[in-house]
């Protein structure tokens, strides 16, 4: 299992479902932390190509090799949470259109019309690209334009710059949809250090529902991803591929649920 960061709360929750399901089927999982390092990913994939694994789960979304570099006897591959551009492999992920639609419609229902979006790395991850595109689409359906967008990494550390830009905007968004919970935590914290408060000064919504979302201050309104089910379905797809290597099962897209907490309030002039 190739993971960009084993310390990610989201990936650790998905891994629980992966490992439990694989163990029941008699398989063990070797977890490799890639650190989003291309050279490390290629070395790990070379190890796999030497027939040292029955199958590969890729959680980062980035193809470790080009399609033409795959060996004919390559073991089965399943992408988890991110589609892999250039590789025709099944994917297990949350259906991004529905989730983004839930968030935007919820914020519009609270009276917000100036909406911003802090995107993940949309140039290399399908989840960030999908959420950004759906954000634009749904606002367009409502005859609105995005008030502000900003692209960053899926982590808390990168959000100081994001908050600084929001603060300097001449007309700030009154609500911000963050690409993941970690981004929301970092954004909220950076705003707090600069004298702003969520949701008094801006409503914030995340994506993932990691455990800290419930216990942060304020508690975070977010999309709950079915973390365990993502892992379970990914291993089930892998087992199908191991048993029937000439058949390619269809990708599985699961529904996320909007969890309403304290970080988003009704807009007030």
């Amino acid at each position: 299992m190739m993971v960009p960061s084993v310390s990610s709360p989201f990936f650790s929750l998905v891994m629980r479902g992966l490992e439990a399901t694989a163990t029941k089927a008699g398989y063990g999982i070797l977890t490799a932390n890639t650190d989003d390092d291309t050279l490390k990913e290629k070395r790990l994939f070379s190890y796999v190509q030497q027939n040292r694994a029955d199958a590969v789960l890729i959680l980062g979304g980035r193809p470790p090799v080009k399609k033409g570099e795959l060996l004919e006897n390559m073991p089965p591959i399943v992408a988890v949470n991110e589609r892999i551009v250039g590789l025709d492999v099944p994917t297990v992920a949350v259906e991004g259109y529905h989730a983004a639609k839930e968030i935007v419609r919820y914020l519009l229902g609270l009276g917000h019309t100036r909406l911003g979006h802090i995107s993940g790395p949309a140039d290399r991850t399908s989840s960030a690209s999908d959420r950004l595109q759906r954000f634009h689409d749904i606002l367009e359906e409502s005859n609105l334009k995005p008030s502000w967008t900003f692209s960053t990494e899926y982590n808390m550390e990168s959000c100081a710059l994001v908050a600084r830009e929001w603060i300097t905007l001449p007309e700030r968004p009154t609500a911000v949809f963050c690409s993941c919970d970690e981004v929301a935590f970092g954004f909220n914290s950076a705003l707090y250090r600069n004298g702003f408060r969520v949701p008094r000064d801006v409503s914030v919504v995340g994506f993932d529902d990691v455990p800290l979302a419930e216990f942060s201050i304020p508690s975070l309104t977010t999309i709950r991803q079915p973390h365990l089910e993502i892992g379970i379905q990914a291993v089930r797809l892998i087992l199908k591929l191991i048993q029937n290597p000439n058949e390619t099962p269809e990708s599985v897209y699961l529904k996320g649920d909007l969890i309403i907490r304290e970080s988003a309030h009704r807009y007030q002039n």
Side-chain angles (χ1 to χ4, degrees):
M1 178 169 57
M2 298 173 65
V3 188
S5 174
V6 293
S7 63
S8 163
F10 170 75
F11 287 135
S12 65
L13 290 168
V14 172
M15 286 160 61
R16 287 173 55 194
L18 290 167
E19 291 171 343
T21 310
T23 299
K24 288 180 181 178
Y27 287 87
I29 290 187
L30 171 65
T31 303
N33 185 10
T34 68
D35 294 317
D36 263 339
D37 184 309
T38 303
L39 291 177
K40 184 181 285 190
E41 289 169 351
K42 287 187 175 181
R43 284 198 299 270
L44 290 167
F45 210 64
S46 174
Y47 176 90
V48 171
Q49 287 179 315
Q50 296 169 34
N51 295 320
R52 298 185 182 183
D54 295 293
V56 187
L57 293 155
I58 299 178
L59 276 72
R62 189 165 61 200
V65 294
K66 295 179 181 178
K67 189 172 184 178
E69 296 173 8
L70 288 174
L71 299 179
E72 290 184 3
N73 62 345
M74 189 66 207
I77 301 172
V78 165
V80 184
N81 194 53
E82 307 283 357
R83 297 187 308 278
I84 301 179
V85 177
L87 292 183
D88 185 20
V89 298
T91 303
V92 179
V94 161
E95 202 285 295
Y97 181 84
H98 173 82
K101 187 175 183 179
E102 288 259 320
I103 290 173
V104 175
R105 287 194 168 177
Y106 174 66
L107 293 173
L108 292 176
L110 291 177
H112 297 278
T113 56
R114 298 201 309 273
L115 271 61
H117 178 50
I118 304 174
S119 165
D123 59 330
R124 68 174 190 272
T125 59
S126 64
S127 62
S129 176
D130 287 349
R131 291 165 201 174
L132 177 61
Q133 183 60 51
R134 300 317 178 207
F135 172 73
H136 281 275
D137 290 346
I138 297 158
L139 283 180
E140 186 175 336
E141 290 174 9
S142 303
N143 296 316
L144 294 171
K145 292 183 178 180
S147 176
W148 170 69
T149 59
F150 193 104
S151 180
T152 186
E153 296 298 318
Y154 276 144
N155 58 47
M156 288 184 276
E157 294 79 10
S158 61
C159 287
L161 181 62
V162 185
R164 191 153 54 243
E165 177 163 318
W166 179 88
I167 291 168
T168 60
L169 291 172
E171 192 172 33
R172 301 177 187 130
T174 62
V176 174
F177 162 27
C178 295
S179 54
C180 73
D181 288 353
E182 287 192 75
V183 167
F185 298 147
F187 181 62
N188 292 359
S189 177
L191 289 180
Y192 183 87
R193 292 193 194 96
N194 285 278
F196 294 89
R197 299 291 181 270
V198 175
R200 183 193 69 192
D201 300 304
V202 58
S203 289
V204 175
V205 178
F207 199 110
D208 287 340
D209 196 32
V210 299
L212 184 57
E214 182 179 0
F215 301 103
S216 63
I217 300 176
S219 58
L220 187 64
T221 294
T222 185
I223 288 288
R224 174 175 292 164
Q225 294 215 52
H227 311 98
L228 292 177
E229 188 63 20
I230 289 172
I232 290 168
Q233 292 296 334
V235 172
R236 286 178 178 172
L237 281 187
I238 278 286
L239 295 176
K240 286 181 181 178
L241 287 167
I242 291 172
Q243 294 159 7
N244 302 288
N246 295 323
E247 296 181 14
T248 302
E250 292 186 1
S251 295
V252 175
Y253 291 97
L254 304 169
K255 180 180 176 293
D257 295 311
L258 180 65
I259 305 300
I260 298 172
R261 297 195 178 101
E262 300 170 335
S263 63
H265 277 188
R266 180 165 293 281
Y267 175 66
Q268 295 178 341
N269 289 316

